[in-house]
């Protein structure tokens, strides 16, 4: 993995922090864990190290939630991170796997097309024909490799795959074994193996987890940021990190514009203005923190490459409309109304009013 890759996994980007934490970490570590549970929480939430040095915060939010999540992984129950889209479920799961196992890449992206072979194991048919069923002909999935190595396996968007496929996990979670009837053997999970699943509240109805499976997961719900300051701080921080990672052209700090983006997102999401005085219609789009970050990054790229070197109403407008208007008819009406009743009335938002009108 080198610097030229578009995206490097957490354990590569934060290798220094993980190493520094490992050196001073003298609390007991569960078998096959790279760090103790306390150190994993420090890695996620940030903090100062005893001997000097600092760990950056990866997740901004409630410490108790993260402690519960990490503690769960040290038990025989699996962890399910639940929440609205863009509440950092995948982000937290990647960082937890990186800190605990030093490897966040044992990942299965669950979709409607995921079948049992992608969860349990598949066959290399050339080998199968040549040699018959044998261990060499077996294609191990990330789940199988995680069980053998005693590592954390990530299952993204668990509820998107069919219920019958989900239920293959029951034996793995309750017996900690993966039977291979064709070879008359089984893979027994090493200590340190566990699963982090993520699922989206909005997809709840897609393929809801069976109650048998639900019982084997401890659910931790990641909430939306509680207030405006927290959400803006997350966006400012992530935009800075992502923008410099993408090597976007240098621009003036955009904190003030980010305040406006987050205000618009929160107001439309909550269906009322921040001061609670006016009720608003809500669009069909999710308007998550993740999208606020994406809007700002888009505006940064536009401002850096085509604009005056600072994010302004002009570079924000197109990106904002793109994020809010997902349904060209309904959402456009909602935004139009918001524009006329709220944006127009705010004196220092006149530039934004004009710019959005131009693109809507
Ligand atoms: N509380 C938070 N602290 C730090 N980063 C956050 C927070 N909330 C959102 N983010 C940022 O939002 C981005 C998107 O998060 P992520 O993709 O993990 O969301 P998700 O919950 O998995 O969404 P989805 O349900 O769409 O898969 C990440 O870059 C993450 O840093
Ligand atoms: Mg996700």
């Amino acid at each position: 993995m080198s610097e030229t890759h578009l995206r490097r996994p957490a354990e590569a980007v934060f290798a220094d922090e993980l190493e520094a934490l490992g050196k001073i970490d003298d609390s007991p570590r569960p078998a096959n864990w790279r760090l103790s549970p306390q150190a994993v929480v420090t890695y996620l939430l940030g903090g100062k190290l005893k001997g000097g040095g600092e760990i950056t915060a990866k997740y901004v939010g409630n410490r108790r939630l993260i402690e519960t999540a990490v503690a769960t992984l040290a038990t025989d129950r699996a962890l399910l991170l639940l929440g609205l889209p863009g509440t950092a479920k995948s982000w937290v799961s990647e960082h937890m796997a990186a800190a605990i196992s030093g490897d966040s890449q044992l990942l299965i992206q669950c979709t409607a097309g995921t079948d049992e072979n992608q969860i349990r194991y598949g066959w290399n048919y050339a080998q199968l024909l040549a040699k018959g069923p044998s261990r060499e002909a077996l294609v191990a999935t990330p789940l199988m490799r995680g069980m053998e190595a005693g590592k954390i396996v990530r299952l993204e968007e668990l509820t998107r795959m069919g219920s019958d496929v989900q239920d293959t996990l029951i034996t793995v979670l309750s017996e900690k074994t993966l039977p291979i009837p064709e070879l008359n053997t089984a893979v027994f999970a090493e200590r340190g193996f566990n699963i982090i699943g993520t699922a989206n509240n909005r997809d709840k109805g897609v393929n809801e987890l069976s109650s048998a499976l639900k019982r084997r997961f401890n659910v931790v719900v990641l909430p939306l940021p509680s207030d405006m300051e927290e959400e803006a701080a997350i966006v400012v921080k992530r935009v800075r990190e992502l923008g410099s990672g993408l090597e976007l052209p240098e621009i003036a700090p955009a904190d003030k514009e980010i305040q406006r983006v987050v205000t618009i997102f929160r107001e439309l999401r909550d269906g009322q203005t921040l001061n609670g005085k006016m009720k608003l219609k809500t669009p069909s789009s999710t308007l998550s923190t993740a999208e606020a970050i994406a809007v700002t990054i888009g505006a940064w790229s536009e401002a850096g490459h085509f604009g005056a070197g600072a994010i302004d109403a002009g570079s924000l407008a197109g990106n904002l409309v793109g994020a809010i208007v997902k349904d060209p008819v309904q959402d456009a009406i909602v935004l139009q109304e918001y524009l006329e009743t709220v944006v127009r009335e705010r004196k220092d938002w006149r530039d934004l009013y004009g710019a959005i009108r131009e693109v809507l």
Side-chain angles (χ1 to χ4, degrees), residues 53-54 61 105 116 153 177 199 213 215 260 270 274 289 296 331:
E54 197 169 337
Q105 299 302 295
E116 276 196 21
V153 176
T177 51
L213 197 54
R215 272 196 299 112
R260 293 211 282 195
D270 298 345
L274 284 187
T289 315
T296 317
D331 294 344

Side-chain angles (χ1 to χ4, degrees), residues 31-61:
N32 271 332
W33 280 39
R34 296 283 186 95
L35 297 172
S36 67
Q38 289 97 318
V40 174
V41 171
T42 309
Y43 169 76
L44 272 154
L45 298 174
K48 293 229 182 314
L49 294 182
K50 267 182 261 158
E54 197 169 337
I55 302 297
T56 56
K58 318 297 176 299
Y59 179 72
V60 181

Side-chain angles (χ1 to χ4, degrees), residues 7 57-62 81-93 95 109 156-157 198-201 203 222-225 230 234-235 237-238 241-242 286 288-291 293:
R7 187 182 190 282
K58 318 297 176 299
Y59 179 72
V60 181
N62 189 334
L81 297 173
L82 204 63
L84 289 170
T87 42
K89 300 179 296 293
S90 307
W91 177 248
V92 166
S93 107
H95 283 286
Q109 183 72 49
E156 283 284 318
E157 310 285 355
T198 67
N200 200 307
N201 276 355
D203 295 340
L222 295 184
L224 283 166
E230 187 174 296
I234 294 170
V235 178
K237 178 174 135 41
R238 290 295 294 141
E241 290 164 1
L242 285 167
T286 24
S288 63
T289 315
E291 275 154 315
I293 296 169

Side-chain angles (χ1 to χ4, degrees), residues 240-314:
R240 205 177 298 135
E241 290 164 1
L242 285 167
S244 44
L246 291 169
E247 299 182 341
L248 292 178
E250 281 296 324
I251 54 163
D255 300 18
K256 197 178 127 265
E257 295 300 338
I258 289 176
Q259 291 284 337
R260 293 211 282 195
V261 174
V262 174
T263 306
I264 295 171
F265 270 46
R266 289 188 77 89
E267 291 186 330
L268 285 175
R269 193 160 72 205
D270 298 345
Q272 58 176 14
T273 48
L274 284 187
N275 58 17
K277 291 220 172 107
M278 195 191 292
K279 292 269 171 274
L280 301 165
K281 290 206 182 92
T282 53
S284 65
S285 37
T286 24
L287 300 180
S288 63
T289 315
E291 275 154 315
I293 296 169
V295 163
T296 317
I297 288 285
W300 177 348
S301 177
E302 202 170 317
H305 291 295
F306 303 109
I311 295 183
D312 56 10

